[in-house]
Amino acid sequence: MCGILAVLGCSDDSQAKRVRVLELSRRLKHRGPDWSGLYQHGDCYLAHQRLAIIDPASGDQPLFNEDKSVVVTVNGEIYNHEDLRKRLPNHKFRTGSDCDVIAHLYEEFGEDFVDMLDGIFAFVLLDTRDNSFIAARDAIGVTPLYIGWGLDGSIWISSELKGLNDDCEHFEVFPPGHLYSSKQGGLRRWYNPPWFSEAIPSTPYDPLALRNAFENAVIKRLMTDVPFGVLLSGGLDSSLVASITARHLAGTKAAKQWGTQLHSFCVGLEGSPDLKAAREVADYLGTVHHEFHFTVQDGIDAIEDVIYHIETYDVTTIRASTPMFLMSRKIKSLGVKMVISGEGSDEIFGGYLYFHKAPDKEEFHHETCRKIKALHQYDCLRANKATSAWGLEARVPFLDKEFINTAMSIDPAFKMINKDEGRIEKWVLRRAFDDEKNPYLPKHILYRQKEQFSDGVGYSWIDGLKAHAAQHVTDKMMLNAANIFPHNTPTTKEAYYYRTIFERFFPQNSARQTVPGGASIACSTAKAVEWDAAWSKNLDPSGRAALGVHLSAYDKASANSGVLQPEIINNVPQISVSTPGVEILS
């Protein structure tokens, strides 16, 4: 991933303004440590911090068309760029970068070319011939983007809040699947798939079609000119990603450059469920496996950095981001610049444990649609920013446009959990890869119960966070929470603790409004909390809050009170001050 910043129509073309744009762009340097670029045309500035994945030698940005009248700064990966180049026979490309096609597509097709792009992206394109510009974000919002407005009438576009929050009067999340056109003066949605209307689909379940669609999604993400690996938690989603990657790596350009041995990475507390399962999958697939250990104290010490980089105060996002943040630093230190990850499957297939209580297929489908539409505020935000904090790129094949269309066209009756018929969560995905002749995974891994990432790294991680927050947030502070934080008022001490840190970094009202709120049980939307009357008394995003479903669910006393029992706090691993930090086992 890269970092982009654009300041458009700021009525100031002075050297001082250029210096200020450079200063703000440097706040994004962690996203792109390989090169920096800045293009100025009058009072418009396009800045870029590059993480070089494709064509590292010549793909520096901003990028241009032939006569440099069209300028682009982009953060993304365009997987079909070679096919798109073939559709532009009369154009001359300056670089081998996958993003080089964007300026030429605009020349050829105007503003309506965005839907032709197959990949993840956030870009700003400036047409210097009439000083018009467009900005766009990928379909699901895998790539982060924000838009802001200055008092001088300027429009700002940035990969992260920290690039614009101090200089804009108002700013907000740039919505996924949208395009901003200066000619039309506003946003419009370019991504309009059939599932977006939330109409109930009726296509019968075809295991082979689903398998082929996902294999294709993984294969296209093997496009890289740098060393890469897979994130492997040992759960279904990441294990399938690793299995498919291992099967198809040998015939790729990446294998010719870096070898056919796949590297896999896992993080967890000592003895955590994920570490054990990931090691077993790695042994089965024959990957070079790297196991990273962290302690509860390591995670707590990193919380402020995590909130600064992830730019949220959402509890479940911070819980899951912290281990990923620590792991990403170690992965980058090994010389790896790109990883493939398993985000998005639970939203598409109803994989979270609360889906066990979906009342009917209609509500099941509506909830999956709601979850996919909100991904950019949760798992996409985490996966992108936790890795980009260390100049590492994460690719997510489950969020491939074609795969989503295939998966979301299935009659949701097939996705419903049905214990009488032996259907657990994500049964349609598990069944699609249950190949007796040429197994993708061991059976017990293929049918392992869903474990949320923040739980799977070790149950004492969340318990330790709650205990730490309880020591720093008093009951008196909680009594005044609604007065201090009237928007998205924190209802737990853990949430209050995160909120105070966030507000220190991002004190603007616009910043706090970029973070979603509302009731949630085991990562549900607020609407799904209505599925079970008992859930309203047990609002915790951990999968263990799904009482009667998770095999290691909270006991009812601690769940209903919302307060950690003394034995839970006392059982948090004690950390010696001599602990050297995150440990690597290979």
Side-chain angles (χ1 to χ4, degrees):
M1 288 286 98
C2 304
I4 66 171
L5 174 65
V7 184
L8 304 149
C10 60
S11 303
D12 184 356
D13 59 0
S14 67
Q15 178 63 19
K17 187 66 174 183
R18 183 181 179 93
V19 170
R20 178 58 177 165
V21 174
L22 282 168
E23 178 186 349
L24 294 172
S25 179
R26 281 195 291 271
R27 295 184 182 180
L28 308 176
K29 188 178 288 186
H30 54 275
R31 297 185 62 85
D34 296 336
W35 193 253
S36 302
L38 174 62
Y39 175 84
Q40 179 183 357
H41 177 75
D43 61 0
C44 293
Y45 301 81
L46 271 64
H48 190 265
Q49 301 289 344
R50 187 185 186 205
L51 178 66
I53 303 292
I54 303 296
D55 187 22
S58 66
D60 295 338
Q61 296 193 35
L63 297 165
F64 303 89
N65 65 339
E66 291 87 345
D67 63 5
K68 293 193 173 184
S69 61
V70 178
V71 194
V72 181
T73 181
V74 54
N75 169 28
E77 300 292 341
I78 310 302
Y79 302 123
N80 64 335
H81 74 105
E82 292 182 350
D83 290 337
L84 291 172
R85 286 171 186 260
K86 294 174 183 176
R87 299 181 62 176
L88 300 164
N90 300 321
H91 291 258
K92 183 179 179 181
F93 296 92
R94 295 174 177 272
T95 77
S97 168
D98 53 297
C99 295
D100 207 357
V101 297
I102 293 175
H104 302 279
L105 287 170
Y106 169 79
E107 280 190 298
E108 197 72 25
F109 300 101
E111 294 183 355
D112 295 327
F113 73 90
V114 180
D115 198 26
M116 299 168 66
L117 301 175
D118 183 7
I120 53 175
F121 54 83
F123 68 80
V124 178
L125 181 151
L126 175 66
D127 189 337
T128 63
R129 295 168 296 190
D130 59 5
N131 239 31
S132 64
F133 67 89
I134 61 173
R137 187 178 183 188
D138 67 65
I140 305 299
V142 174
T143 307
L145 198 63
Y146 298 86
I147 182 170
W149 294 266
L151 286 173
D152 59 357
S154 58
I155 294 178
W156 296 59
I157 308 286
S158 176
S159 294
E160 296 186 1
L161 281 178
K162 58 184 69 68
L164 52 69
N165 65 309
D166 287 335
D167 288 57
C168 290
E169 183 67 15
H170 175 72
F171 50 89
E172 57 194 48
V173 174
F174 193 108
H178 279 69
L179 177 144
Y180 182 95
S181 168
S182 64
K183 290 180 180 179
Q184 298 190 10
L187 288 158
R188 70 174 186 270
R189 184 153 57 88
W190 65 262
Y191 179 56
N192 296 285
W195 64 267
F196 211 86
S197 68
E198 300 189 16
I200 309 302
S202 57
T203 304
Y205 169 51
D206 182 343
L208 193 57
L210 190 65
R211 181 198 296 184
N212 290 339
F214 187 59
E215 287 202 291
N216 289 336
V218 173
I219 291 168
K220 71 176 68 171
R221 282 159 179 78
L222 302 183
M223 177 187 81
T224 177
D225 292 330
V226 299
F228 81 103
V230 293
L231 301 186
L232 179 59
S233 70
L236 172 68
D237 307 326
S238 66
S239 297
L240 284 178
V241 169
S243 178
I244 295 167
T245 302
R247 286 190 179 207
H248 295 281
L249 179 58
T252 65
K253 178 182 174 183
K256 294 177 182 178
Q257 288 183 286
W258 308 107
T260 58
Q261 193 82 50
L262 179 64
H263 289 252
S264 57
F265 308 95
C266 184
V267 66
L269 301 178
E270 190 78 47
S272 69
D274 280 2
L275 290 180
K276 179 182 177 183
R279 172 66 69 176
E280 184 176 358
V281 174
D283 290 344
Y284 181 82
L285 299 176
T287 68
V288 179
H289 191 58
H290 307 268
E291 191 174 280
F292 306 147
H293 292 177
F294 77 106
T295 65
V296 173
Q297 191 63 53
D298 291 329
I300 289 171
D301 289 344
I303 288 293
E304 292 207 8
D305 284 342
V306 168
I307 292 174
Y308 174 75
H309 280 287
I310 310 301
E311 301 180 324
T312 188
Y313 50 82
D314 175 67
V315 170
T316 189
T317 303
I318 294 169
R319 288 175 176 179
S321 294
T322 305
M324 197 170 194
F325 176 85
L326 294 171
M327 175 172 57
S328 297
R329 186 176 192 179
K330 287 298 183 181
I331 292 174
K332 186 61 183 289
S333 74
L334 298 176
V336 172
K337 296 179 73 173
M338 185 271 282
V339 291
I340 308 179
S341 190
E343 280 77 15
S345 172
D346 292 314
E347 286 74 14
I348 295 169
F349 295 106
Y352 292 107
L353 298 184
Y354 72 89
F355 274 94
H356 281 247
K357 298 292 184 74
D360 50 52
K361 73 173 189 178
E362 289 78 15
E363 189 55 32
F364 188 105
H365 182 71
H366 292 324
E367 177 70 359
T368 59
C369 293
R370 290 190 291 261
K371 290 293 292 180
I372 297 171
K373 291 175 182 179
L375 262 170
H376 67 286
Q377 298 176 300
Y378 297 101
D379 283 18
C380 288
L381 189 81
R382 166 181 58 78
N384 183 280
K385 291 183 180 178
T387 52
S388 293
W390 303 107
L392 181 68
E393 176 178 302
R395 295 181 179 176
V396 284
F398 278 109
L399 298 181
D400 179 84
K401 281 197 301 182
E402 293 180 21
F403 176 72
I404 292 176
N405 285 342
T406 298
M408 291 301 288
S409 68
I410 299 170
D411 186 328
F414 292 99
K415 295 181 182 180
M416 292 277 288
I417 292 100
N418 188 322
K419 292 182 180 180
D420 293 337
E421 296 181 8
R423 295 186 183 184
I424 63 172
E425 65 277 356
K426 293 187 286 193
W427 176 84
V428 292
L429 181 63
R430 300 175 197 271
R431 179 67 186 86
F433 286 91
D434 193 348
D435 189 330
E436 296 287 349
K437 293 183 179 179
N438 190 15
Y440 286 79
L441 295 168
K443 283 274 191 181
H444 63 282
I445 294 292
L446 192 62
Y447 291 94
R448 182 190 178 199
Q449 185 182 64
K450 162 66 186 171
E451 194 77 85
Q452 287 171 209
F453 183 56
S454 53
D455 286 325
V457 297
Y459 296 150
S460 57
W461 165 234
I462 292 178
D463 298 338
L465 285 174
K466 290 181 176 181
H468 179 75
Q471 293 172 350
H472 291 80
V473 178
T474 66
D475 293 341
K476 186 177 181 180
M477 293 162 73
M478 291 301 297
L479 286 174
N480 293 316
N483 298 314
I484 302 297
F485 305 116
H487 177 75
N488 282 347
T489 302
T491 57
T492 67
K493 291 184 177 182
E494 185 185 5
Y496 191 106
Y497 178 67
Y498 299 153
R499 184 64 173 271
T500 57
I501 297 171
F502 177 89
E503 297 271 347
R504 189 160 15 102
F505 292 130
F506 308 104
Q508 299 87 356
N509 186 51
S510 291
R512 61 183 66 100
Q513 291 180 350
T514 64
V515 181
S520 178
I521 179 76
C523 287
S524 75
T525 66
K527 178 67 176 175
V529 173
E530 300 172 6
W531 292 352
D532 190 317
W535 283 351
S536 62
K537 303 174 184 177
N538 181 34
L539 297 175
D540 189 287
S542 168
R544 288 184 292 155
L547 303 181
V549 178
H550 195 289
L551 299 178
S552 299
Y554 294 140
D555 67 86
K556 291 185 179 180
S558 61
N560 290 337
S561 69
V563 178
L564 280 177
Q565 301 304 302
E567 63 270 20
I568 295 179
I569 298 176
N570 294 337
N571 286 336
V572 173
Q574 298 302 303
I575 311 305
S576 167
V577 294
S578 61
T579 299
V582 180
E583 176 188 359
I584 306 179
L585 300 176
S586 297

